[in-house]
Amino acid sequence: MCGVSMKTKLYLDITNLMQVEFLTGIQRVVREIAVRFLKDDRLDIVLLAYSDELAGFEILDGERFFDFFTKGQGMKANIRTGKECPVDAMESGAIFYDMDSAWHSKQKRSKLLPAIGRAHV
């Protein structure tokens, strides 16, 4: 694989950041890390947020996220795409990064994390 670089696929759960209307503590940290990851050419980032309507993860628009949180452009609601990302559709070998305040999530980690593991064995 000389000269070939493969990007690391990273699924980033930012559910709580998308739900709240304030940026304090962990929300500022999540925003900053997400922005830096989006700027990193070595990473293929898929931003995710839990959606009640989909009863699972929704893929978020990375460009709109970046513009909203770095330039104040657009509306937060427009970051949502309505596209579902089922756990079993996540790429094998990818990283699921759970850095947001998951204790607020409707998707309990005691069920989610084993499901991700089972889907990619």
Side-chain angles (χ1 to χ4, degrees):
M1 289 224 183
C2 189
V4 176
S5 71
M6 295 183 59
K7 290 184 175 190
T8 300
K9 181 78 146 208
L10 191 138
Y11 294 93
L12 184 58
D13 180 4
I14 58 170
T15 299
N16 187 252
L17 176 61
M18 291 301 295
Q19 291 174 337
V20 299
E21 294 304 321
F22 51 85
L23 287 175
T24 61
I26 195 164
Q27 293 84 23
R28 283 195 320 259
V29 172
V30 170
R31 177 204 57 201
E32 185 62 27
I33 291 173
V35 165
R36 288 178 187 226
F37 281 174
L38 287 167
K39 292 192 307 189
D40 190 331
D41 291 335
R42 299 168 298 175
L43 300 173
D44 180 9
I45 303 296
V46 179
L47 297 176
L48 301 174
Y50 183 82
S51 165
D52 287 330
E53 294 80 24
L54 298 172
F57 283 114
E58 174 182 10
I59 297 172
L60 305 174
D61 187 300
E63 287 183 37
R64 289 181 180 170
F65 175 91
F66 188 87
D67 289 346
F68 179 80
F69 282 103
T70 63
K71 304 172 189 172
Q73 295 177 351
M75 294 175 31
K76 193 174 188 181
N78 292 338
I79 296 170
R80 295 193 168 272
T81 66
K83 297 177 189 172
E84 185 178 8
C85 183
V87 168
D88 60 356
M90 293 180 183
E91 284 184 28
S92 184
I95 298 167
F96 179 82
Y97 194 12
D98 192 15
M99 70 172 177
D100 210 342
S101 52
W103 54 89
H104 293 289
S105 180
K106 289 184 178 181
Q107 211 167 34
K108 298 300 174 204
R109 288 344 194 214
S110 60
K111 294 183 184 198
L112 172 66
L113 298 177
I116 291 171
R118 282 191 305 275
H120 302 289
V121 173

